[in-house]
Amino acid sequence: MTFLRKLTVMTALAFSLLLGQVMPSQALTPQQELIDKSRISFEKLIGSYEFGELPGYLKRAKAVMIFPDIFKAGFVIGGEGGNGVLMVRDPSKGWSQPAFYTLAAGSVGLQVGGQLSETVFTIMSDKALNAVLNDQMKFGGDMSVAAGPIGKGVGANTTTNLEADVYAFSKTSGLFGGVSLNGAGILRKNDWNAAYYGPGVLPQQIVIDRKVSNPNTKDLVNALSPY
C-alpha cells in the first residue's frame, strides 16, 4: 500500500471515529421524542404551584392524556392540533404503557392569534375512557370537558361529585381569542402505535390488556407512579 493510500485510509478512519463521537448512534424516533416531551410537560405541570389541584384529580382519574404541544392558530377560520399519549391506571398494576393519539379540531368564528399549550387531561369517567379507546372521543355534546381548577388546594382528593368527564390542565403561551375545546376530536395514531410496539397493536392491547411494552417508556411511567 502506497504512503498516499495509507494516509487516505487513516484520514477516513479518523473522520469516521470523530463523526461517531459527535453524532448519536441512533436517531430519536418521533414516538420516543413525544414520550420524552410528555414526561417533561407532565413534570412541569405537576410541580407547578398553579396546578396544585392536579395531583388530587390524577388520583381519582381513570386515565390521563398528555399533550406536550397543542398548537392553535387561525384568522377567522381556526384550527388546533397536536400529538399526545394515553395512559390508564389500574389499582393493582399501576399506570399502563402509553398509547399514541392525536387531537384535531377546526372552527369558524371571530378569532385572531396563536397559542401553544402543554395540556394534561384527566379522564374521570368510564364513558370518556371507552370513547377514547373506541375512537369516538369528541368534546362537547354528551362528552363534557372542563378547565381544571387553578391554585393550591385539596383538589379532587375530597371531591365527591366530579361533574365533567374530562378536566384539562393547560399551560399556555401566546394569545388566542375565541378558543374552545368543544368540537375537538381525539383519534388513535395506529401507525405510531404499530411502529413503537409492533404491527397491528391497538391502544386496547397497550393500556387495558397490557400485552406489549417498550422499556424506553420507563421514565414516563415512573413520573406518574406516585399518583
Side-chain angles (χ1 to χ4, degrees), residues 41-52:
S41 290
F42 176 80
E43 290 178 341
K44 183 188 298 184
L45 268 65
I46 201 72
S48 174
Y49 178 85
E50 64 183 310
F51 298 107

Side-chain angles (χ1 to χ4, degrees), residues 117-161:
S117 301
E118 297 171 273
T119 302
V120 172
F121 294 103
T122 59
I123 298 176
M124 313 307 295
S125 69
D126 289 323
K127 178 178 71 173
L129 176 56
N130 290 333
V132 172
L133 293 173
N134 295 324
D135 237 7
Q136 296 176 345
M137 168 65 89
K138 188 174 182 180
F139 294 127
D142 63 348
M143 196 66 62
S144 59
V145 57
I150 301 298
K152 188 69 177 176
V154 296
N157 284 318
T158 58
T159 300
T160 58
N161 182 25

Side-chain angles (χ1 to χ4, degrees), residues 18-40:
L18 178 62
L19 193 64
Q21 291 178 352
V22 301
M23 293 185 64
S25 58
Q26 185 176 4
L28 197 65
T29 65
Q31 295 81 19
Q32 189 61 48
E33 183 178 8
L34 178 61
I35 286 175
D36 293 343
K37 290 175 69 175
S38 296
R39 176 188 58 80
I40 293 170

Side-chain angles (χ1 to χ4, degrees), residues 38-76:
S38 296
R39 176 188 58 80
I40 293 170
S41 290
F42 176 80
E43 290 178 341
K44 183 188 298 184
L45 268 65
I46 201 72
S48 174
Y49 178 85
E50 64 183 310
F51 298 107
E53 300 274 8
L54 177 55
Y57 280 77
L58 276 171
K59 291 174 182 178
R60 294 284 301 275
K62 306 287 183 180
V64 64
M65 299 195 81
I66 307 169
F67 285 82
D69 294 309
I70 297 178
F71 184 71
K72 305 175 184 178
F75 183 84
V76 181

